Amino acid sequence: MAQRLNLVVSRNFSTLTSLSSTRKLAENVSSKPKTASGSEITADHLLYTPEHFALKESLKKIIDQDINPYVDQWEAEGIFPAHKVFKLLGNAGFLGVNKPVEYGGLGLDFSYSIAVSEELGNIRCGGIPMAIGVQTDMATPALARFGSTELKKEFLLPSIMGDKVACLGVSEVGAGSDVATIKTNAVREGDEYVVNGGKMWTTNGTQADWMCLLANTSDGPSHKNKSLICLPMNSPGVHIARKIDKMGMRSSDTAEVFFDDVRVPCKNLIGQEGMGFTYQMLQFQEERLWACGNILTMMDNIIQETIQYTRQRKIFKMPVLYHQSVHFRLAELETEIELLRSLLHRSTALYIKGNDVTKLASMAKLKAGRLSREVGDSCLQYWGGMGFTSDVLVSRFYRDARLLSIGGGADEVMLSIICKYMDTLPKK
């Protein structure tokens, strides 16, 4: 397969036991790695090696050939073929970049996942990258880190290979950012859990084969009574109530799911019972950094397309771009984007060395959500009436990016986390 990543030739994962072997294989992809964004410098990058750029270049080919040509169609239909797209990415090795080699992953560090998230930002919508991110960095990190061998073979391996689509079941109708207040219960009966309740805002929910479910498994304290469970979506009692009609992220299916006496084997428990809240908080850190990387490339593209359009569009006998208020504002936004990129790469560098980056990841997520709203609003304004149509990328970005300040922990939650680390929260 021409698009198969040369890093994993013939999927002989056993050869990928050291970075040096990765380097040799990566050189086959591109002798002169090119950057995915003009703002990046391949040589002497503070975080990325030539192997990172080779990885991005390979992914870019798939995006250009097999995804972007169909984005408009999938946006109009309100759904994209997740199994087809994920299988394509799985065959090329992109669904398990930092996952264990023995379960189909590439065995690389998390910086490679961030490189992938940045490159996925070149998909011309927000919904498909988000769906991929759920598969790679939201529903599977805890399974990869804490799951049993049997569980990884059943759920992780096929997810990495693109044979199964995963979703994450955390948010509920009355519990979004406040994860501790979820009501879904999994009561142990013999060697099974009996699950009752429901989940809301479930990305990939109508197409998923399994869910990484957070549920209450005891009546103890709210931070110690939750567990993560691999729940097959074809289990009796699982009901997809509806596909939610959203303002943005149109091509990504989002479901409301109900559980009515759903029986799941106790062996489907990820790690230890009662540790689900802690595991989920760890998953959130990777999710937030991943989301930041993804939106950075999208913002880069919006800025560049706005520059191109405003250079051609004239008002008062001169290009819109040449008005000082316009090019000054674009310069301000570009500066903010580069500062955010530096924060992301610093956070990632610390994370792969084993540091707790909760504070920095929360800052990056907060800034990414707010900056993307500024970029979308400012750039759309410079497109004038065209920006208010569905014919241009900036209007889609304006709608899609609004979710970032809500999903995965609202801005206000990020601020609370930052304040906790600053020791400025009111004492109880």
Side-chain angles (χ1 to χ4, degrees), residues 77-99:
E77 293 173 350
I79 194 170
F80 80 104
H83 285 88
K84 178 180 178 180
V85 173
F86 285 8
K87 186 58 181 175
L88 183 70
L89 294 170
N91 282 341
F94 288 109
L95 297 183
V97 171
N98 68 325
K99 298 300 190 296

Side-chain angles (χ1 to χ4, degrees), residues 386-401:
M386 282 301 299
F388 201 63
T389 72
S390 297
D391 299 332
V392 292
L393 182 63
V394 67
S395 63
R396 182 179 293 166
F397 176 82
Y398 182 88
R399 298 190 308 271
D400 290 352

Side-chain angles (χ1 to χ4, degrees), residues 217-230:
T217 49
S218 72
D219 295 326
S222 60
H223 293 84
K224 297 181 179 180
N225 72 336
K226 294 169 175 55
S227 302
L228 285 176
I229 301 169
C230 294

